[in-house]
Amino acid sequence: MKRIDYLRYHKQEYFYKEQEHLFSKLWIYAAAVPEFDQTQSSYVLINSPIGEVIITKENDQFNAFYNKCLHRGHPIVSEPYGPLRLICPYHCWSYESNGHVKNIPFAEKMYGLNQSEISQMSLKKLSIKQLGDFLFINGDDFPIDIEEQFGEEVLNNLNKTKGMLNKTFASLSIELNFNWKLIFENLRDCVHPLYLHPTSLTQEVDFFATFKEPVINNQPITELAELSNFSRDGENKLPPEKYKSEFMCCDDGKSYLNWLLFPYTHIPSPDGGTLFAVENFVPISPNKTRLDLSFFITQATGKTPSLAVFYEWFEKAKVVLKEDFVAVEGLQKQIENGQDMQNLGDYENQNVRINEFLDREVYAK
Ligand code: FES
Ligand SMILES: [Fe+2]
């Protein structure tokens, strides 16, 4: 067994270090392509741990910048989605899709700015990368290559979703009372489904394949790519349903696909490549996490598919998530009540390795 202390789940100083060395340095999930208007230029506003970020799409080109007006810092947009009209409501400065200033009313008279000075002005930009139908941003001035953060398997399998997602999707956000790391440790825990989800998830997926022979690796993490992974977690027990012929499939159509993307994104595809959930457990404070959850389905193969399967899945997923959240909120409560150490077994070696990595690369800095 390995002993890991609990301070990292509730102390502010640990959270500050995570903000400084993880969230503002790594690639983080931003949005999915179907969230943008298909017919005209549009934007999506996201609330990330490094601030509010506007993602714009114009002529298939994506840009990302902070939602903070260059004049006095007022938010430029407040709606989560919209057409590309970026005009700050305070004094009407307007911006182009790439974040450059477009117009300042009374520029010369009130601000002493001429046209050539205005053309040099731009909102603070972030780097943006598309992986399949998903977009990731990086707020560092000198971002690492995304290939350094996500290994080949993660990238190749994500890239299979390119152009595949349907424009019909569903989203919701809820605030949860636990540290963001606890829910990921739970997601990497292959024993808990048997006991925590006996009547939900375990009825649908055969988890015994991964349960019987845990792959044990006690080597320290040396590459960032080891913090994330893609896996096929057991075969679907249910017979293939009719909807599968009505929608495209990005993978084998059989396994439970799982992307665990460090730091805080989980993408499961329970039917092997048709239904996709994106779960972002966005860190808000040491003991608060906001789940931004979106459900996607692939493009239809014919003209009149039924979306009933999509809504049924939404209902089923809610049951499993709730079972996890009750357990993890229970852990958080005990931690804050003064429990100081946890004892992790062999099968939890990836959680141990990640915590040891955080000790070395984040908390000790
Ligand atoms: S703060 Fe945006 S125009 Fe003044
Ligand atoms: Fe679970």
Side-chain angles (χ1 to χ4, degrees):
M1 308 282 296
K2 286 265 187 167
R3 305 199 82 199
I4 304 281
D5 76 76
Y6 273 120
L7 298 172
R8 66 198 63 213
Y9 305 105
H10 67 120
K11 290 285 181 207
Q12 187 67 48
E13 58 265 36
Y14 285 74
F15 192 73
Y16 286 145
K17 297 223 170 177
E18 290 167 359
Q19 279 178 317
E20 188 184 343
H21 301 293
L22 292 179
F23 314 137
S24 44
K25 292 269 184 268
L26 295 177
W27 290 91
I28 52 179
Y29 181 92
V33 174
E35 291 176 71
F36 295 85
D37 197 301
Q38 314 288 302
T39 55
Q40 58 174 333
S41 305
S42 61
Y43 79 84
V44 170
L45 173 66
I46 64 155
N47 196 351
S48 84
I50 53 172
E52 286 189 9
V53 176
I54 302 175
I55 319 284
T56 61
K57 178 180 176 235
E58 188 171 49
N59 304 328
D60 287 330
Q61 186 73 37
F62 294 99
N63 278 285
F65 34 81
Y66 292 99
N67 184 25
K68 213 177 197 183
C69 179
L70 277 182
H71 177 214
R72 299 208 47 211
H74 194 279
I76 299 158
V77 293
S78 50
E79 295 298 321
Y81 307 100
L84 209 55
R85 264 183 91 248
L86 303 176
I87 304 174
C88 178
Y90 203 176
H91 312 91
C92 210
W93 287 32
S94 61
Y95 298 90
E96 309 275 5
S97 66
N98 61 4
H100 284 134
V101 173
K102 188 175 184 177
N103 184 53
I104 300 176
F106 311 109
E108 192 90 53
K109 190 170 163 192
M110 292 297 177
Y111 303 89
L113 288 169
N114 61 36
Q115 213 39 53
S116 94
E117 286 167 313
I118 293 175
S119 67
Q120 305 294 312
M121 296 166 75
S122 170
L123 292 166
K124 185 161 168 39
K125 292 186 80 160
L126 295 93
S127 302
I128 185 160
K129 277 264 151 84
Q130 183 172 353
L131 298 177
D133 264 358
F134 303 109
L135 299 163
F136 290 77
I137 51 170
N138 190 310
D140 196 10
D141 290 338
F142 302 98
I144 54 166
D145 288 341
I146 203 159
E147 292 79 11
E148 198 181 315
Q149 184 172 331
F150 301 131
E152 225 178 290
E153 249 207 307
V154 165
L155 293 172
N156 289 347
N157 286 292
L158 266 187
N159 282 332
K160 289 182 192 168
T161 61
K162 183 142 192 213
M164 295 289 266
L165 298 188
N166 201 302
K167 65 178 193 305
T168 300
F169 66 95
S171 293
L172 61 94
S173 281
I174 41 170
E175 210 171 288
L176 299 159
N177 296 311
F178 50 70
N179 182 278
W180 65 279
K181 296 185 294 300
L182 282 180
I183 190 70
F184 278 88
E185 289 168 5
N186 174 73
L187 286 166
R188 292 186 207 102
D189 177 340
C190 66
V191 173
H192 90 278
L194 292 177
Y195 304 105
L196 204 59
H197 310 300
T199 57
S200 52
L201 196 60
T202 327
Q203 295 302 311
E204 290 169 34
V205 185
D206 183 2
F207 282 105
F208 271 97
T210 38
F211 179 73
K212 272 185 195 151
E213 284 181 49
V215 183
I216 297 175
N217 174 358
N218 290 321
Q219 296 303 309
I221 286 178
T222 52
E223 315 264 331
L224 283 180
E226 293 178 75
L227 297 163
S228 298
N229 73 297
F230 167 76
S231 58
R232 293 192 165 81
D233 291 349
E235 297 227 332
N236 225 302
K237 284 181 179 173
L238 305 175
E241 291 180 64
K242 185 175 155 279
Y243 80 89
K244 290 227 169 167
S245 61
E246 295 181 342
F247 295 91
M248 299 211 228
C249 185
C250 307
D251 203 83
D252 65 5
K254 287 203 291 262
S255 318
Y256 195 108
L257 311 179
N258 249 322
W259 285 264
L260 279 171
L261 305 177
F262 194 83
Y264 57 74
T265 303
H266 174 220
I267 305 181
S269 176
D271 60 357
T274 295
L275 297 165
F276 286 83
V278 177
E279 301 166 7
N280 278 294
F281 291 95
V282 185
I284 299 177
S285 70
N287 54 9
K288 289 240 182 302
T289 296
R290 189 189 68 243
L291 167 63
D292 290 342
L293 176 60
S294 298
F295 290 88
F296 297 98
I297 190 164
T298 50
Q299 313 265 14
T301 49
K303 279 212 173 74
T304 51
S306 160
L307 283 167
V309 56
F310 183 61
Y311 297 107
E312 266 170 39
W313 173 49
F314 192 93
E315 291 304 314
K316 273 194 214 161
K318 276 199 301 197
V319 175
V320 181
L321 287 170
K322 191 155 180 227
E323 288 167 348
D324 281 324
F325 297 161
V326 169
V328 176
E329 288 193 335
L331 287 182
Q332 183 77 32
K333 215 163 139 201
Q334 291 308 95
I335 291 166
E336 288 174 24
N337 281 344
Q339 190 168 338
D340 58 352
M341 281 295 192
Q342 52 183 324
N343 298 293
L344 302 185
D346 283 353
Y347 86 95
E348 295 165 287
N349 63 89
Q350 180 67 354
N351 284 337
V352 171
R353 294 173 78 223
I354 290 178
N355 275 301
E356 290 175 349
F357 168 87
L358 294 174
D359 282 336
R360 286 192 312 272
E361 302 297 329
V362 177
Y363 307 139
K365 286 199 169 168

PDB file of all heavy atoms in Angstrom, residues 275-304:
ATOM      1  N   LEU A 275     -22.141   7.491 -29.441  1.00  0.00           N
ATOM      2  CA  LEU A 275     -22.511   8.462 -28.410  1.00  0.00           C
ATOM      3  C   LEU A 275     -21.239   8.913 -27.693  1.00  0.00           C
ATOM      4  O   LEU A 275     -20.397   8.079 -27.337  1.00  0.00           O
ATOM      5  CB  LEU A 275     -23.464   7.817 -27.400  1.00  0.00           C
ATOM      6  CG  LEU A 275     -24.821   7.352 -27.945  1.00  0.00           C
ATOM      7  CD1 LEU A 275     -25.498   6.413 -26.961  1.00  0.00           C
ATOM      8  CD2 LEU A 275     -25.719   8.545 -28.240  1.00  0.00           C
ATOM      9  N   PHE A 276     -21.111  10.226 -27.495  1.00  0.00           N
ATOM     10  CA  PHE A 276     -19.939  10.770 -26.795  1.00  0.00           C
ATOM     11  C   PHE A 276     -20.396  11.718 -25.703  1.00  0.00           C
ATOM     12  O   PHE A 276     -21.201  12.617 -25.968  1.00  0.00           O
ATOM     13  CB  PHE A 276     -19.045  11.575 -27.749  1.00  0.00           C
ATOM     14  CG  PHE A 276     -18.263  10.718 -28.700  1.00  0.00           C
ATOM     15  CD1 PHE A 276     -18.849  10.259 -29.872  1.00  0.00           C
ATOM     16  CD2 PHE A 276     -16.960  10.357 -28.421  1.00  0.00           C
ATOM     17  CE1 PHE A 276     -18.145   9.452 -30.751  1.00  0.00           C
ATOM     18  CE2 PHE A 276     -16.240   9.556 -29.288  1.00  0.00           C
ATOM     19  CZ  PHE A 276     -16.834   9.096 -30.457  1.00  0.00           C
ATOM     20  N   ALA A 277     -19.876  11.538 -24.497  1.00  0.00           N
ATOM     21  CA  ALA A 277     -20.111  12.544 -23.460  1.00  0.00           C
ATOM     22  C   ALA A 277     -18.793  13.282 -23.266  1.00  0.00           C
ATOM     23  O   ALA A 277     -17.723  12.693 -23.409  1.00  0.00           O
ATOM     24  CB  ALA A 277     -20.523  11.887 -22.155  1.00  0.00           C
ATOM     25  N   VAL A 278     -18.869  14.566 -22.983  1.00  0.00           N
ATOM     26  CA  VAL A 278     -17.664  15.296 -22.595  1.00  0.00           C
ATOM     27  C   VAL A 278     -17.913  15.818 -21.194  1.00  0.00           C
ATOM     28  O   VAL A 278     -18.842  16.591 -20.967  1.00  0.00           O
ATOM     29  CB  VAL A 278     -17.357  16.459 -23.563  1.00  0.00           C
ATOM     30  CG1 VAL A 278     -16.135  17.233 -23.076  1.00  0.00           C
ATOM     31  CG2 VAL A 278     -17.116  15.931 -24.966  1.00  0.00           C
ATOM     32  N   GLU A 279     -17.122  15.316 -20.258  1.00  0.00           N
ATOM     33  CA  GLU A 279     -17.267  15.739 -18.864  1.00  0.00           C
ATOM     34  C   GLU A 279     -16.038  16.552 -18.488  1.00  0.00           C
ATOM     35  O   GLU A 279     -14.935  16.020 -18.448  1.00  0.00           O
ATOM     36  CB  GLU A 279     -17.334  14.514 -17.938  1.00  0.00           C
ATOM     37  CG  GLU A 279     -18.468  13.564 -18.246  1.00  0.00           C
ATOM     38  CD  GLU A 279     -18.320  12.206 -17.544  1.00  0.00           C
ATOM     39  OE1 GLU A 279     -17.399  12.042 -16.718  1.00  0.00           O
ATOM     40  OE2 GLU A 279     -19.112  11.307 -17.847  1.00  0.00           O
ATOM     41  N   ASN A 280     -16.241  17.835 -18.275  1.00  0.00           N
ATOM     42  CA  ASN A 280     -15.140  18.671 -17.792  1.00  0.00           C
ATOM     43  C   ASN A 280     -15.379  18.984 -16.329  1.00  0.00           C
ATOM     44  O   ASN A 280     -16.375  19.632 -15.995  1.00  0.00           O
ATOM     45  CB  ASN A 280     -15.062  19.964 -18.602  1.00  0.00           C
ATOM     46  CG  ASN A 280     -14.315  19.739 -19.887  1.00  0.00           C
ATOM     47  OD1 ASN A 280     -13.118  19.452 -19.863  1.00  0.00           O
ATOM     48  ND2 ASN A 280     -15.018  19.819 -21.000  1.00  0.00           N
ATOM     49  N   PHE A 281     -14.480  18.498 -15.481  1.00  0.00           N
ATOM     50  CA  PHE A 281     -14.598  18.770 -14.049  1.00  0.00           C
ATOM     51  C   PHE A 281     -13.717  19.978 -13.759  1.00  0.00           C
ATOM     52  O   PHE A 281     -12.555  19.853 -13.380  1.00  0.00           O
ATOM     53  CB  PHE A 281     -14.194  17.539 -13.239  1.00  0.00           C
ATOM     54  CG  PHE A 281     -15.193  16.418 -13.380  1.00  0.00           C
ATOM     55  CD1 PHE A 281     -15.010  15.411 -14.310  1.00  0.00           C
ATOM     56  CD2 PHE A 281     -16.344  16.403 -12.606  1.00  0.00           C
ATOM     57  CE1 PHE A 281     -15.945  14.392 -14.455  1.00  0.00           C
ATOM     58  CE2 PHE A 281     -17.287  15.389 -12.745  1.00  0.00           C
ATOM     59  CZ  PHE A 281     -17.089  14.379 -13.669  1.00  0.00           C
ATOM     60  N   VAL A 282     -14.292  21.159 -13.986  1.00  0.00           N
ATOM     61  CA  VAL A 282     -13.504  22.391 -13.971  1.00  0.00           C
ATOM     62  C   VAL A 282     -13.226  22.818 -12.529  1.00  0.00           C
ATOM     63  O   VAL A 282     -14.157  23.039 -11.751  1.00  0.00           O
ATOM     64  CB  VAL A 282     -14.260  23.515 -14.720  1.00  0.00           C
ATOM     65  CG1 VAL A 282     -13.400  24.767 -14.812  1.00  0.00           C
ATOM     66  CG2 VAL A 282     -14.680  23.043 -16.107  1.00  0.00           C
ATOM     67  N   PRO A 283     -11.942  22.939 -12.167  1.00  0.00           N
ATOM     68  CA  PRO A 283     -11.606  23.330 -10.792  1.00  0.00           C
ATOM     69  C   PRO A 283     -12.025  24.777 -10.523  1.00  0.00           C
ATOM     70  O   PRO A 283     -11.685  25.678 -11.289  1.00  0.00           O
ATOM     71  CB  PRO A 283     -10.075  23.216 -10.755  1.00  0.00           C
ATOM     72  CG  PRO A 283      -9.707  22.388 -11.952  1.00  0.00           C
ATOM     73  CD  PRO A 283     -10.747  22.668 -12.982  1.00  0.00           C
ATOM     74  N   ILE A 284     -12.789  24.988  -9.454  1.00  0.00           N
ATOM     75  CA  ILE A 284     -13.222  26.346  -9.097  1.00  0.00           C
ATOM     76  C   ILE A 284     -12.469  26.820  -7.855  1.00  0.00           C
ATOM     77  O   ILE A 284     -12.033  27.957  -7.761  1.00  0.00           O
ATOM     78  CB  ILE A 284     -14.739  26.380  -8.805  1.00  0.00           C
ATOM     79  CG1 ILE A 284     -15.527  25.957 -10.046  1.00  0.00           C
ATOM     80  CG2 ILE A 284     -15.179  27.761  -8.349  1.00  0.00           C
ATOM     81  CD1 ILE A 284     -17.017  25.894  -9.802  1.00  0.00           C
ATOM     82  N   SER A 285     -12.339  25.946  -6.888  1.00  0.00           N
ATOM     83  CA  SER A 285     -11.603  26.253  -5.654  1.00  0.00           C
ATOM     84  C   SER A 285     -11.143  24.899  -5.109  1.00  0.00           C
ATOM     85  O   SER A 285     -11.459  23.858  -5.688  1.00  0.00           O
ATOM     86  CB  SER A 285     -12.528  26.989  -4.672  1.00  0.00           C
ATOM     87  OG  SER A 285     -13.504  26.103  -4.179  1.00  0.00           O
ATOM     88  N   PRO A 286     -10.395  24.871  -3.989  1.00  0.00           N
ATOM     89  CA  PRO A 286      -9.905  23.564  -3.523  1.00  0.00           C
ATOM     90  C   PRO A 286     -11.025  22.548  -3.302  1.00  0.00           C
ATOM     91  O   PRO A 286     -10.834  21.365  -3.537  1.00  0.00           O
ATOM     92  CB  PRO A 286      -9.203  23.891  -2.204  1.00  0.00           C
ATOM     93  CG  PRO A 286      -8.841  25.325  -2.307  1.00  0.00           C
ATOM     94  CD  PRO A 286      -9.884  25.978  -3.168  1.00  0.00           C
ATOM     95  N   ASN A 287     -12.203  23.004  -2.873  1.00  0.00           N
ATOM     96  CA  ASN A 287     -13.260  22.020  -2.598  1.00  0.00           C
ATOM     97  C   ASN A 287     -14.521  22.208  -3.438  1.00  0.00           C
ATOM     98  O   ASN A 287     -15.584  21.714  -3.089  1.00  0.00           O
ATOM     99  CB  ASN A 287     -13.599  21.992  -1.098  1.00  0.00           C
ATOM    100  CG  ASN A 287     -13.946  23.375  -0.592  1.00  0.00           C
ATOM    101  OD1 ASN A 287     -14.091  24.311  -1.391  1.00  0.00           O
ATOM    102  ND2 ASN A 287     -14.092  23.526   0.704  1.00  0.00           N
ATOM    103  N   LYS A 288     -14.383  22.920  -4.553  1.00  0.00           N
ATOM    104  CA  LYS A 288     -15.532  23.085  -5.456  1.00  0.00           C
ATOM    105  C   LYS A 288     -15.099  22.824  -6.899  1.00  0.00           C
ATOM    106  O   LYS A 288     -14.049  23.285  -7.343  1.00  0.00           O
ATOM    107  CB  LYS A 288     -16.095  24.508  -5.386  1.00  0.00           C
ATOM    108  CG  LYS A 288     -16.823  24.843  -4.114  1.00  0.00           C
ATOM    109  CD  LYS A 288     -18.275  25.223  -4.402  1.00  0.00           C
ATOM    110  CE  LYS A 288     -19.036  25.607  -3.151  1.00  0.00           C
ATOM    111  NZ  LYS A 288     -19.070  24.555  -2.136  1.00  0.00           N
ATOM    112  N   THR A 289     -15.954  22.081  -7.589  1.00  0.00           N
ATOM    113  CA  THR A 289     -15.681  21.708  -8.972  1.00  0.00           C
ATOM    114  C   THR A 289     -16.967  21.927  -9.755  1.00  0.00           C
ATOM    115  O   THR A 289     -18.042  21.620  -9.252  1.00  0.00           O
ATOM    116  CB  THR A 289     -15.287  20.209  -9.008  1.00  0.00           C
ATOM    117  OG1 THR A 289     -14.068  20.050  -8.275  1.00  0.00           O
ATOM    118  CG2 THR A 289     -15.086  19.695 -10.414  1.00  0.00           C
ATOM    119  N   ARG A 290     -16.845  22.486 -10.958  1.00  0.00           N
ATOM    120  CA  ARG A 290     -18.056  22.628 -11.784  1.00  0.00           C
ATOM    121  C   ARG A 290     -18.004  21.600 -12.903  1.00  0.00           C
ATOM    122  O   ARG A 290     -17.032  21.549 -13.654  1.00  0.00           O
ATOM    123  CB  ARG A 290     -18.136  24.039 -12.378  1.00  0.00           C
ATOM    124  CG  ARG A 290     -19.483  24.330 -13.061  1.00  0.00           C
ATOM    125  CD  ARG A 290     -19.477  25.639 -13.835  1.00  0.00           C
ATOM    126  NE  ARG A 290     -18.609  25.570 -14.980  1.00  0.00           N
ATOM    127  CZ  ARG A 290     -17.529  26.324 -15.159  1.00  0.00           C
ATOM    128  NH1 ARG A 290     -17.185  27.228 -14.282  1.00  0.00           N
ATOM    129  NH2 ARG A 290     -16.779  26.170 -16.237  1.00  0.00           N
ATOM    130  N   LEU A 291     -19.035  20.775 -12.957  1.00  0.00           N
ATOM    131  CA  LEU A 291     -19.096  19.828 -14.070  1.00  0.00           C
ATOM    132  C   LEU A 291     -19.789  20.507 -15.242  1.00  0.00           C
ATOM    133  O   LEU A 291     -20.946  20.909 -15.145  1.00  0.00           O
ATOM    134  CB  LEU A 291     -19.869  18.565 -13.667  1.00  0.00           C
ATOM    135  CG  LEU A 291     -20.250  17.648 -14.841  1.00  0.00           C
ATOM    136  CD1 LEU A 291     -19.020  17.096 -15.557  1.00  0.00           C
ATOM    137  CD2 LEU A 291     -21.130  16.496 -14.369  1.00  0.00           C
ATOM    138  N   ASP A 292     -19.059  20.658 -16.346  1.00  0.00           N
ATOM    139  CA  ASP A 292     -19.659  21.096 -17.612  1.00  0.00           C
ATOM    140  C   ASP A 292     -19.807  19.828 -18.431  1.00  0.00           C
ATOM    141  O   ASP A 292     -18.805  19.214 -18.821  1.00  0.00           O
ATOM    142  CB  ASP A 292     -18.740  22.076 -18.358  1.00  0.00           C
ATOM    143  CG  ASP A 292     -18.655  23.421 -17.656  1.00  0.00           C
ATOM    144  OD1 ASP A 292     -19.534  23.722 -16.828  1.00  0.00           O
ATOM    145  OD2 ASP A 292     -17.695  24.169 -17.941  1.00  0.00           O
ATOM    146  N   LEU A 293     -21.041  19.441 -18.649  1.00  0.00           N
ATOM    147  CA  LEU A 293     -21.303  18.147 -19.282  1.00  0.00           C
ATOM    148  C   LEU A 293     -22.026  18.344 -20.609  1.00  0.00           C
ATOM    149  O   LEU A 293     -23.024  19.060 -20.671  1.00  0.00           O
ATOM    150  CB  LEU A 293     -22.181  17.343 -18.312  1.00  0.00           C
ATOM    151  CG  LEU A 293     -22.685  15.984 -18.731  1.00  0.00           C
ATOM    152  CD1 LEU A 293     -21.536  15.035 -19.019  1.00  0.00           C
ATOM    153  CD2 LEU A 293     -23.559  15.393 -17.618  1.00  0.00           C
ATOM    154  N   SER A 294     -21.504  17.735 -21.663  1.00  0.00           N
ATOM    155  CA  SER A 294     -22.184  17.805 -22.963  1.00  0.00           C
ATOM    156  C   SER A 294     -22.332  16.407 -23.533  1.00  0.00           C
ATOM    157  O   SER A 294     -21.434  15.575 -23.385  1.00  0.00           O
ATOM    158  CB  SER A 294     -21.381  18.640 -23.962  1.00  0.00           C
ATOM    159  OG  SER A 294     -21.271  19.953 -23.504  1.00  0.00           O
ATOM    160  N   PHE A 295     -23.460  16.170 -24.165  1.00  0.00           N
ATOM    161  CA  PHE A 295     -23.720  14.881 -24.816  1.00  0.00           C
ATOM    162  C   PHE A 295     -23.779  15.101 -26.317  1.00  0.00           C
ATOM    163  O   PHE A 295     -24.506  15.967 -26.787  1.00  0.00           O
ATOM    164  CB  PHE A 295     -25.059  14.310 -24.349  1.00  0.00           C
ATOM    165  CG  PHE A 295     -25.044  13.852 -22.927  1.00  0.00           C
ATOM    166  CD1 PHE A 295     -25.335  14.730 -21.899  1.00  0.00           C
ATOM    167  CD2 PHE A 295     -24.722  12.545 -22.614  1.00  0.00           C
ATOM    168  CE1 PHE A 295     -25.312  14.310 -20.578  1.00  0.00           C
ATOM    169  CE2 PHE A 295     -24.697  12.120 -21.300  1.00  0.00           C
ATOM    170  CZ  PHE A 295     -24.993  12.998 -20.279  1.00  0.00           C
ATOM    171  N   PHE A 296     -22.994  14.299 -27.032  1.00  0.00           N
ATOM    172  CA  PHE A 296     -22.972  14.398 -28.494  1.00  0.00           C
ATOM    173  C   PHE A 296     -23.324  13.049 -29.100  1.00  0.00           C
ATOM    174  O   PHE A 296     -23.107  11.999 -28.485  1.00  0.00           O
ATOM    175  CB  PHE A 296     -21.570  14.792 -28.987  1.00  0.00           C
ATOM    176  CG  PHE A 296     -21.130  16.142 -28.505  1.00  0.00           C
ATOM    177  CD1 PHE A 296     -20.293  16.262 -27.399  1.00  0.00           C
ATOM    178  CD2 PHE A 296     -21.560  17.295 -29.139  1.00  0.00           C
ATOM    179  CE1 PHE A 296     -19.891  17.509 -26.940  1.00  0.00           C
ATOM    180  CE2 PHE A 296     -21.163  18.550 -28.689  1.00  0.00           C
ATOM    181  CZ  PHE A 296     -20.327  18.659 -27.591  1.00  0.00           C
ATOM    182  N   ILE A 297     -23.855  13.102 -30.310  1.00  0.00           N
ATOM    183  CA  ILE A 297     -24.081  11.879 -31.083  1.00  0.00           C
ATOM    184  C   ILE A 297     -23.487  12.139 -32.467  1.00  0.00           C
ATOM    185  O   ILE A 297     -23.338  13.296 -32.869  1.00  0.00           O
ATOM    186  CB  ILE A 297     -25.593  11.529 -31.133  1.00  0.00           C
ATOM    187  CG1 ILE A 297     -25.821  10.132 -31.731  1.00  0.00           C
ATOM    188  CG2 ILE A 297     -26.414  12.583 -31.880  1.00  0.00           C
ATOM    189  CD1 ILE A 297     -27.215   9.562 -31.463  1.00  0.00           C
ATOM    190  N   THR A 298     -23.131  11.073 -33.170  1.00  0.00           N
ATOM    191  CA  THR A 298     -22.516  11.274 -34.490  1.00  0.00           C
ATOM    192  C   THR A 298     -23.582  11.657 -35.520  1.00  0.00           C
ATOM    193  O   THR A 298     -24.785  11.599 -35.247  1.00  0.00           O
ATOM    194  CB  THR A 298     -21.802   9.983 -34.951  1.00  0.00           C
ATOM    195  OG1 THR A 298     -22.722   8.915 -34.793  1.00  0.00           O
ATOM    196  CG2 THR A 298     -20.551   9.717 -34.167  1.00  0.00           C
ATOM    197  N   GLN A 299     -23.123  12.000 -36.699  1.00  0.00           N
ATOM    198  CA  GLN A 299     -24.027  12.381 -37.794  1.00  0.00           C
ATOM    199  C   GLN A 299     -24.885  11.187 -38.191  1.00  0.00           C
ATOM    200  O   GLN A 299     -24.426  10.052 -38.139  1.00  0.00           O
ATOM    201  CB  GLN A 299     -23.215  12.765 -39.040  1.00  0.00           C
ATOM    202  CG  GLN A 299     -22.078  13.699 -38.786  1.00  0.00           C
ATOM    203  CD  GLN A 299     -22.470  15.145 -39.018  1.00  0.00           C
ATOM    204  OE1 GLN A 299     -23.655  15.474 -39.113  1.00  0.00           O
ATOM    205  NE2 GLN A 299     -21.483  16.007 -39.090  1.00  0.00           N
ATOM    206  N   ALA A 300     -26.096  11.496 -38.623  1.00  0.00           N
ATOM    207  CA  ALA A 300     -26.999  10.434 -39.072  1.00  0.00           C
ATOM    208  C   ALA A 300     -26.551   9.904 -40.430  1.00  0.00           C
ATOM    209  O   ALA A 300     -25.986  10.641 -41.232  1.00  0.00           O
ATOM    210  CB  ALA A 300     -28.405  10.987 -39.165  1.00  0.00           C
ATOM    211  N   THR A 301     -26.805   8.611 -40.668  1.00  0.00           N
ATOM    212  CA  THR A 301     -26.455   8.044 -41.977  1.00  0.00           C
ATOM    213  C   THR A 301     -27.579   8.291 -42.982  1.00  0.00           C
ATOM    214  O   THR A 301     -27.348   8.427 -44.168  1.00  0.00           O
ATOM    215  CB  THR A 301     -26.204   6.525 -41.872  1.00  0.00           C
ATOM    216  OG1 THR A 301     -27.302   5.957 -41.147  1.00  0.00           O
ATOM    217  CG2 THR A 301     -24.922   6.206 -41.159  1.00  0.00           C
ATOM    218  N   GLY A 302     -28.820   8.340 -42.484  1.00  0.00           N
ATOM    219  CA  GLY A 302     -29.955   8.572 -43.392  1.00  0.00           C
ATOM    220  C   GLY A 302     -30.640   9.876 -43.067  1.00  0.00           C
ATOM    221  O   GLY A 302     -30.081  10.733 -42.388  1.00  0.00           O
ATOM    222  N   LYS A 303     -31.870   9.990 -43.528  1.00  0.00           N
ATOM    223  CA  LYS A 303     -32.552  11.273 -43.372  1.00  0.00           C
ATOM    224  C   LYS A 303     -33.325  11.429 -42.069  1.00  0.00           C
ATOM    225  O   LYS A 303     -33.383  12.507 -41.504  1.00  0.00           O
ATOM    226  CB  LYS A 303     -33.517  11.474 -44.550  1.00  0.00           C
ATOM    227  CG  LYS A 303     -32.826  11.987 -45.797  1.00  0.00           C
ATOM    228  CD  LYS A 303     -33.782  12.884 -46.608  1.00  0.00           C
ATOM    229  CE  LYS A 303     -33.084  13.553 -47.760  1.00  0.00           C
ATOM    230  NZ  LYS A 303     -32.798  12.638 -48.874  1.00  0.00           N
ATOM    231  N   THR A 304     -33.960  10.348 -41.588  1.00  0.00           N
ATOM    232  CA  THR A 304     -34.859  10.528 -40.448  1.00  0.00           C
ATOM    233  C   THR A 304     -34.514   9.621 -39.263  1.00  0.00           C
ATOM    234  O   THR A 304     -35.276   8.735 -38.910  1.00  0.00           O
ATOM    235  CB  THR A 304     -36.321  10.234 -40.868  1.00  0.00           C
ATOM    236  OG1 THR A 304     -36.317   8.954 -41.533  1.00  0.00           O
ATOM    237  CG2 THR A 304     -36.899  11.305 -41.745  1.00  0.00           C
TER     238      THR A 304
END
